[in-house]
Amino acid sequence: MPAPPPIYLDNQATTRCDPRVLERMLPYFSEHYGNAASKTHSFGWTAEAAVALAREQVAASLGGNASEVVFCSGATEANNLALRGVAEAYAARGKHIVVAATEHASVLDCARELERTGWDLSIVPVGEDGLVSIPELRAALRETTTVVSIMLVNNETGVVADIPSLAALVHQECPKAIMHCDAVQALGKIPIDVAALGVDVLTVSSHKVYGPKGVGALWRRRRPRLVVHPQVFGGGHEGGLRSGTLPVPLIVGFGTACEIAGRERSEENARLALLRDRLLDGLRSSVGGIVVNGSIESRIASNLNIAIEGVTADVLVSEIGDVAMSTGSACSSASAKPSHVLGAMVSAERARTSIRMGLGRFTTEEEVERAIVCIAAGIAKVRGA
Ligand code: PMP
């Protein structure tokens, strides 16, 4: 009998492109290959119309306006554009930036780069639940604070921040400050409404929401108009904010992925919450010493991040080849450093014994049952070794 296929439980690292998304993308690789910036023929017009529709779809998924959306290569670029672009535009107001300790590397490293060029940087700590508290944020704000960046959903723990309250505090204490939010892990998982969040600029990425890799977007408020200095110069695409020929098939895919997520999110979440709870219960009833990292109440439905007593996560993951999951953040595993997110929340020992499991649209009940057996057996083996 052939071996069962591996089980993918790493949907926070990336998701499979939905076949419906791929289907809509394909014609834009073949017959509709025009450049969306070509104004003189139908090839260009067709591409431009497809981009316009996708822009509407992405904007709708954020509660924003299409004219506020700037396409770029992904959220790493969008975060760089947001932080550096806003910092450059508003430096005269004061050169102090505030970020949370659990931000993605594309925010943290960008903030450190600003620090290198003369900005003051404050990194706000989080509690054991992974959340930034109002008093901690208030303590970090100064008269010179110009940029604040706090993510909506954490990529390792799935914890959901109370951005409306945090943004309200920022705007109340520092009326001139610009509030940025990395909403990459929130898109398609919880409703996003830029007005209700109270943010000025926000980033999203396609490949976390069953769209293709290599495309993302920056949303920035138009009324009153937020100025963002471009970081890539050239032909003046995207209103001069991000030059470069638009990757039309990827943008079409991103738009479609947003549209599907908007339609299916509630039902999908209900299913994933049941699977996630079953995964936790199954593991707990098979092996002891499991603790959930981060708030369980304020968390997306599809994430489970657990510490397993006495089990080094790297050893466990290499033991369980059949289940794809991660220790710390796969997004930064190129650097193979311990997770800075868990490091900010729990003890080094607990971080060392933690694994992240991310369920997704294509995760089945059968896979969850099989994963429980595989992971429990791996834990028993590592503990017995
Ligand atoms: N922010 C968060 C919270 C993420 O999870 C990721 C992806 N790991 C990024 C930013 C970067 O996104 P991209 O892969 O599109 O560059």
Side-chain angles (χ1 to χ4, degrees):
M1 221 171 60
I7 300 161
Y8 188 71
L9 292 188
D10 207 7
N11 282 278
Q12 258 87 62
T14 196
T15 57
R16 175 185 168 180
C17 190
D18 191 303
R20 294 168 291 180
V21 169
L22 182 62
E23 196 184 310
R24 290 244 207 119
M25 287 168 64
L26 287 176
Y28 295 90
F29 283 109
S30 48
E31 65 259 44
H32 304 314
Y33 52 82
N35 185 328
S38 295
K39 305 285 181 212
T40 51
H41 49 71
S42 64
F43 294 87
W45 304 331
T46 302
E48 191 190 14
V51 168
L53 172 62
R55 204 182 295 281
E56 295 281 352
Q57 290 165 323
V58 173
S61 72
L62 306 176
N65 195 287
S67 65
E68 299 170 321
V69 170
V70 178
F71 286 117
C72 45
S73 66
T76 297
E77 186 188 342
N79 281 338
N80 274 262
L81 177 56
L83 265 58
R84 294 164 70 97
V86 166
E88 281 174 19
Y90 293 95
R93 290 182 178 180
K95 295 173 90 174
H96 179 230
I97 176 166
V98 175
V99 303
T102 48
E103 293 303 306
H104 188 262
S106 54
V107 165
L108 274 175
D109 287 356
C110 210
R112 289 194 187 104
E113 184 58 22
L114 284 170
E115 188 182 30
R116 213 183 52 77
T117 61
W119 281 66
D120 287 333
L121 167 63
S122 296
I123 299 183
V124 188
V126 297
E128 198 182 310
D129 55 6
L131 296 165
V132 169
S133 73
I134 292 279
E136 294 276 17
L137 179 58
R138 182 180 282 121
L141 298 174
R142 302 180 194 164
E143 218 172 287
T144 52
T145 305
T146 300
V147 187
V148 178
S149 180
I150 302 180
M151 71 203 320
L152 182 48
V153 172
N154 185 270
N155 48 299
E156 292 190 37
T157 59
V159 163
V160 184
D162 180 4
I163 296 294
S165 302
L166 299 172
L169 175 77
V170 168
H171 289 134
Q172 182 194 316
E173 304 273 312
C174 307
K176 288 190 211 148
I178 309 299
M179 180 79 191
H180 168 254
C181 180
D182 175 339
V184 168
Q185 297 283 347
L187 185 62
K189 293 170 193 139
I190 58 171
I192 300 179
D193 179 339
V194 284
L197 290 173
V199 299
D200 303 298
V201 55
L202 174 140
T203 51
V204 284
S205 181
S206 153
H207 74 100
K208 311 285 184 174
V209 64
Y210 311 98
K213 294 165 186 58
V215 63
L218 179 83
W219 169 89
R220 91 297 188 199
R221 124 174 104 61
R222 290 304 284 267
R223 283 204 195 95
R225 184 164 169 266
L226 181 77
V227 182
V228 181
H229 273 186
Q231 303 296 308
V232 177
F233 297 88
H237 307 76
E238 297 297 273
L241 252 184
R242 201 282 190 171
S243 287
T245 301
L246 293 177
V248 178
L250 302 184
I251 289 172
V252 166
F254 187 14
T256 307
C258 286
E259 184 223 300
I260 294 173
R263 251 188 294 121
E264 300 184 357
R265 191 187 58 238
S266 306
E267 220 172 295
E268 192 163 289
N269 273 343
R271 191 183 79 87
L272 289 175
L274 287 177
L275 287 185
R276 193 261 316 268
D277 292 348
R278 168 66 195 137
L279 181 58
L280 180 59
D281 289 348
L283 289 174
R284 278 197 163 139
S285 56
S286 312
V287 290
I290 288 179
V291 188
V292 175
N293 291 315
S295 166
I296 193 80
E297 300 83 37
S298 191
R299 191 187 200 99
I300 55 167
S302 51
N303 172 284
L304 195 56
N305 191 316
I306 52 170
I308 308 159
E309 209 178 277
V311 175
T312 302
D314 286 331
V315 177
L316 179 66
V317 166
S318 59
E319 192 61 49
I320 310 170
D322 292 346
V323 187
M325 47 191 191
S326 81
T327 60
S329 159
C331 320
S332 63
S333 63
S335 58
K337 279 187 287 201
S339 155
H340 72 277
V341 173
L342 293 180
M345 296 165 54
V346 296
S347 69
E349 170 60 14
R350 187 157 147 192
R352 204 175 55 80
T353 59
S354 294
I355 55 170
R356 174 185 74 176
M357 291 169 276
L359 289 78
R361 183 174 293 166
F362 304 105
T363 310
T364 65
E365 226 176 296
E366 181 272 330
E367 285 178 322
V368 167
E369 294 304 327
R370 200 147 53 83
I372 293 168
V373 174
C374 287
I375 299 169
I379 293 171
K381 188 160 172 205
V382 175
R383 279 184 176 155

